[in-house]
Amino acid sequence: MRASTDLDTLSDFFDRYGVALTTGDVPAIAGCYALPGLVVADTYSFSFSTMAAVALSFVGAAPDYRERELVAAHALIEEVEPVSALLTMVAVRWEFLDSQGRAVPGERYRYLLRGTEDGPAICTVVRTG
Protein backbone atom coordinates (compact mmCIF):
# COMPACT_ATOMS: atom_id res chain seq x y z
CA MET A 1 0.00 0.00 0.00
CA ARG A 2 1.28 3.46 -0.90
CA ALA A 3 0.11 7.04 -0.92
CA SER A 4 -1.45 8.02 -4.21
CA THR A 5 -0.01 10.85 -6.25
CA ASP A 6 -1.82 9.67 -9.40
CA LEU A 7 -4.05 12.51 -10.63
CA ASP A 8 -6.75 10.13 -11.93
CA THR A 9 -7.01 8.39 -8.55
CA LEU A 10 -7.07 11.69 -6.69
CA SER A 11 -9.61 13.22 -9.11
CA ASP A 12 -11.89 10.20 -8.71
CA PHE A 13 -11.63 10.48 -4.92
CA PHE A 14 -12.46 14.20 -4.87
CA ASP A 15 -15.27 13.68 -7.42
CA ARG A 16 -16.90 11.17 -5.03
CA TYR A 17 -16.34 13.53 -2.11
CA GLY A 18 -17.83 16.48 -4.03
CA VAL A 19 -20.93 14.48 -4.98
CA ALA A 20 -21.37 13.40 -1.36
CA LEU A 21 -21.06 17.02 -0.18
CA THR A 22 -23.55 18.49 -2.65
CA THR A 23 -26.11 15.69 -2.26
CA GLY A 24 -25.90 15.66 1.54
CA ASP A 25 -24.82 12.02 1.62
CA VAL A 26 -23.39 12.18 5.13
CA PRO A 27 -22.42 8.47 5.33
CA ALA A 28 -20.48 8.83 2.04
CA ILE A 29 -18.78 11.98 3.36
CA ALA A 30 -17.78 10.14 6.54
CA GLY A 31 -16.47 7.27 4.43
CA CYS A 32 -13.93 9.63 2.84
CA TYR A 33 -12.20 10.22 6.19
CA ALA A 34 -9.52 8.33 8.09
CA LEU A 35 -9.75 8.19 11.86
CA PRO A 36 -8.80 10.09 13.84
CA GLY A 37 -9.27 13.17 11.69
CA LEU A 38 -8.79 16.89 12.06
CA VAL A 39 -10.33 20.01 10.51
CA VAL A 40 -8.46 23.30 10.89
CA ALA A 41 -9.55 26.83 9.95
CA ASP A 42 -8.46 30.32 10.99
CA THR A 43 -10.85 30.57 13.93
CA TYR A 44 -11.55 26.97 14.92
CA SER A 45 -10.30 23.39 14.86
CA PHE A 46 -12.04 20.17 15.66
CA SER A 47 -11.10 16.54 15.68
CA PHE A 48 -13.12 13.40 15.43
CA SER A 49 -12.39 9.81 16.31
CA THR A 50 -15.55 8.02 15.14
CA MET A 51 -17.49 7.92 11.87
CA ALA A 52 -20.53 9.20 13.79
CA ALA A 53 -18.54 12.28 14.83
CA VAL A 54 -17.48 12.88 11.20
CA ALA A 55 -21.11 12.57 10.11
CA LEU A 56 -22.31 14.98 12.81
CA SER A 57 -19.74 17.57 11.78
CA PHE A 58 -21.17 17.62 8.23
CA VAL A 59 -24.90 17.52 9.00
CA GLY A 60 -25.10 21.30 8.63
CA ALA A 61 -23.35 21.37 5.27
CA ALA A 62 -26.19 19.88 3.21
CA PRO A 63 -28.76 22.60 4.12
CA ASP A 64 -26.11 25.24 3.34
CA TYR A 65 -25.54 23.77 -0.14
CA ARG A 66 -29.32 23.57 -0.74
CA GLU A 67 -29.83 27.16 0.45
CA ARG A 68 -27.14 28.36 -1.94
CA GLU A 69 -28.67 26.08 -4.65
CA LEU A 70 -25.34 24.35 -5.26
CA VAL A 71 -25.90 21.16 -7.20
CA ALA A 72 -22.39 20.08 -8.23
CA ALA A 73 -18.85 20.42 -6.93
CA HIS A 74 -15.62 20.00 -8.83
CA ALA A 75 -12.20 19.86 -7.21
CA LEU A 76 -9.43 21.51 -9.16
CA ILE A 77 -6.25 19.87 -7.94
CA GLU A 78 -3.60 22.58 -7.81
CA GLU A 79 -0.71 20.75 -6.16
CA VAL A 80 0.18 17.22 -5.08
CA GLU A 81 3.04 16.75 -2.62
CA PRO A 82 4.17 13.33 -1.42
CA VAL A 83 4.83 13.54 2.33
CA SER A 84 5.71 9.93 3.18
CA ALA A 85 5.08 6.41 1.94
CA LEU A 86 1.41 6.65 2.97
CA LEU A 87 0.72 10.41 3.14
CA THR A 88 0.06 12.94 0.38
CA MET A 89 -0.77 16.65 0.72
CA VAL A 90 -3.19 17.85 -1.95
CA ALA A 91 -4.10 21.49 -2.58
CA VAL A 92 -7.63 21.83 -3.98
CA ARG A 93 -9.68 24.75 -5.21
CA TRP A 94 -13.38 23.90 -5.28
CA GLU A 95 -15.72 25.12 -8.03
CA PHE A 96 -19.47 24.73 -7.76
CA LEU A 97 -22.43 24.86 -10.12
CA ASP A 98 -25.73 26.28 -8.97
CA SER A 99 -29.19 25.10 -10.04
CA GLN A 100 -29.11 27.60 -12.93
CA GLY A 101 -25.87 26.11 -14.29
CA ARG A 102 -23.78 29.10 -13.22
CA ALA A 103 -20.24 28.66 -11.91
CA VAL A 104 -19.88 29.59 -8.25
CA PRO A 105 -16.36 30.06 -6.90
CA GLY A 106 -15.50 28.00 -3.86
CA GLU A 107 -12.76 27.91 -1.30
CA ARG A 108 -9.30 26.45 -1.23
CA TYR A 109 -8.27 23.63 1.06
CA ARG A 110 -5.26 21.45 1.70
CA TYR A 111 -6.05 17.82 2.38
CA LEU A 112 -3.61 15.45 4.03
CA LEU A 113 -4.56 12.07 2.57
CA ARG A 114 -3.56 8.65 3.85
CA GLY A 115 -3.25 5.75 1.45
CA THR A 116 -5.45 2.85 2.60
CA GLU A 117 -6.45 -0.49 1.13
CA ASP A 118 -9.64 1.22 -0.09
CA GLY A 119 -7.85 4.23 -1.60
CA PRO A 120 -7.17 7.74 -0.29
CA ALA A 121 -8.74 8.89 2.98
CA ILE A 122 -8.71 12.39 4.46
CA CYS A 123 -6.69 12.71 7.71
CA THR A 124 -6.58 16.49 7.96
CA VAL A 125 -8.36 19.35 6.21
CA VAL A 126 -6.98 22.91 6.36
CA ARG A 127 -9.04 25.75 4.91
CA THR A 128 -6.58 28.00 3.08
CA GLY A 129 -8.79 30.58 1.43
Side-chain angles (χ1 to χ4, degrees):
M1 187 171 27
R2 296 209 36 93
S4 181
T5 57
D6 176 68
L7 284 180
D8 288 337
T9 300
L10 295 172
S11 291
D12 288 346
F13 172 77
F14 284 110
D15 285 348
R16 285 191 314 275
Y17 186 58
V19 167
L21 287 170
T22 56
T23 60
D25 187 344
V26 175
I29 293 168
C32 291
Y33 281 80
L35 298 177
L38 179 65
V39 175
V40 180
D42 286 343
T43 58
Y44 64 88
S45 298
F46 61 89
S47 63
F48 37 79
S49 58
T50 66
M51 286 299 172
V54 177
L56 282 173
S57 68
F58 283 96
V59 166
D64 179 55
Y65 287 124
R66 278 194 301 275
E67 182 178 304
R68 294 172 30 195
E69 298 184 20
L70 301 179
V71 296
H74 178 68
L76 298 169
I77 297 174
E78 297 181 323
E79 183 181 352
V80 177
E81 179 186 348
V83 175
S84 71
L86 291 176
L87 299 174
T88 303
M89 183 68 74
V90 182
V92 170
R93 179 171 49 95
W94 286 97
E95 284 186 341
F96 298 97
L97 283 179
D98 68 13
S99 61
Q100 305 299 311
R102 294 178 297 228
V104 177
E107 293 110 2
R108 284 183 159 88
Y109 292 87
R110 287 197 174 263
Y111 295 89
L112 181 61
L113 304 179
R114 177 178 295 130
T116 72
E117 291 178 9
D118 297 325
I122 300 167
C123 297
T124 303
V125 179
V126 179
R127 184 174 179 189
T128 58

